[in-house]
């Protein structure tokens, strides 16, 4: 029987052009499943109830926080895309591959899954332990495809900090979930319906 050696594992950068649609979706759903699992386990280790963390608020205050931050973030993103060179905001083509030919229902589903899983982990679990600043650093590092350029990395950090801020002030995880969902949905639909240049 051959022994497995950790040193034999080789990690190489994948070219987005090499990714098939099936592989891209598989990667997305596995990553989000792991994110959800880690978030739930982390919350349990904090002696907290995940159902309480995800409890739906009784008033609609979270909607104002979530949609308000989403509007600000979309406005800033719009300005950035018009003053910053396109190659500085490049994510390696992953978002283009993910959303360009995706049906609308699937874009909605992806945006919802990503928003719930990532916010449960980062705002619901990590921020409870380390606060919004260190959570935002981790959030920016996790979005590795943006790390090649400082502008999108900084923007991901600020966006994460904003999500942490509205979580604290709204008192509900549903505020950052709503904001994250709306941003991803809007971005996905823009990519889906953008005219080819």
């Amino acid at each position: 029987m051959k022994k497995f050696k950790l040193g034999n594992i080789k990690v190489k950068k994948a070219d987005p052009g090499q990714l098939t649609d099936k592989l891209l979706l598989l990667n997305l759903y596995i990553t989000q499943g792991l994110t959800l699992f880690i978030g739930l386990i982390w919350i349990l280790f904090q002696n907290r109830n995940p159902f309480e963390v995800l409890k739906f608020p009784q008033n609609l205050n979270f909607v104002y926080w979530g949609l308000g931050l989403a509007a600000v973030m979309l406005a800033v993103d719009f300005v950035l895309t018009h003053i910053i060179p396109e190659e500085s905001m490049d994510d390696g083509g992953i978002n283009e591959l993910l959303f360009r030919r995706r049906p609308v229902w699937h874009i909605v589903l992806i945006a919802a899954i990503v928003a719930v899983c990532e916010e449960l982990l980062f705002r619901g679990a990590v921020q409870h332990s380390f606060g919004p600043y260190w959570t935002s650093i981790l959030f920016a590092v996790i979005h590795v495809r943006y790390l090649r350029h400082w502008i999108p990395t900084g923007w991901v950090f600020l966006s994460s900090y904003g999500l942490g801020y509205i979580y604290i002030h709204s008192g509900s995880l549903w505020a950052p979930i709503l904001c994250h969902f709306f941003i991803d949905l809007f971005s996905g639909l823009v990519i889906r319906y953008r005219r080819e240049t």
Side-chain angles (χ1 to χ4, degrees):
M1 185 172 179
K2 215 174 177 185
K3 285 189 175 181
F4 174 75
K5 291 184 181 178
L6 208 54
N8 290 340
I9 297 175
K10 293 180 182 169
V11 178
K12 69 177 192 173
K13 184 180 172 190
D15 178 16
Q18 296 172 320
L19 288 172
T20 64
D21 191 56
K22 186 176 180 180
L23 186 59
L24 183 64
L25 286 177
L26 184 65
N27 184 30
L28 173 77
Y29 289 127
I30 288 174
T31 304
Q32 294 308 310
L34 283 171
T35 302
L36 179 64
F37 179 74
I38 293 167
L40 290 171
I41 295 298
W42 195 321
I43 288 168
L44 289 172
F45 274 120
Q46 294 170 336
N47 292 319
R48 297 162 63 219
N49 183 345
F51 293 108
E52 281 297 314
V53 174
L54 282 169
K55 185 177 179 183
F56 204 76
Q58 293 182 346
N59 62 45
L60 294 178
N61 192 30
F62 78 98
V63 174
Y64 305 124
W65 282 103
L67 293 182
L69 180 60
V72 169
M73 289 170 67
L74 288 171
V76 171
D77 195 54
F78 178 79
V79 170
L80 285 176
T81 57
H82 284 80
I83 62 172
I84 304 296
E86 190 175 339
E87 59 272 7
S88 295
M89 298 296 283
D90 183 30
D91 72 338
I94 299 296
N95 286 340
E96 183 77 21
L97 283 173
L98 187 60
F99 295 119
R100 186 70 179 139
R101 290 179 177 78
R102 195 79 46 217
V104 173
W105 70 266
H106 204 170
I107 294 173
V108 172
L109 179 67
I110 289 170
I113 288 171
V114 169
V116 170
C117 294
E118 290 188 3
E119 293 309 312
L120 182 72
L121 173 61
F122 289 99
R123 254 49 65 184
V126 178
Q127 183 168 312
H128 186 78
S129 295
F130 301 115
Y133 177 77
W134 290 106
T135 300
S136 298
I137 288 177
L138 181 61
F139 192 76
V141 169
I142 292 295
H143 287 78
V144 69
R145 67 183 187 266
Y146 296 110
L147 292 178
R148 292 179 300 150
H149 303 290
W150 68 271
I151 295 172
T153 301
W155 180 231
V156 170
F157 172 84
L158 289 174
S159 300
S160 175
Y161 198 84
L163 291 167
Y165 180 86
I166 65 170
Y167 176 42
I168 292 168
H169 288 280
S170 69
S172 171
L173 190 61
W174 287 100
I177 288 174
L178 178 64
C179 180
H180 198 147
F181 168 75
F182 193 77
I183 294 291
D184 286 357
L185 176 63
F186 186 85
S187 301
L189 291 174
V190 166
I191 291 169
R192 171 71 174 82
Y193 290 107
R194 183 174 53 207
R195 289 182 183 171
E196 296 286 349
T197 55

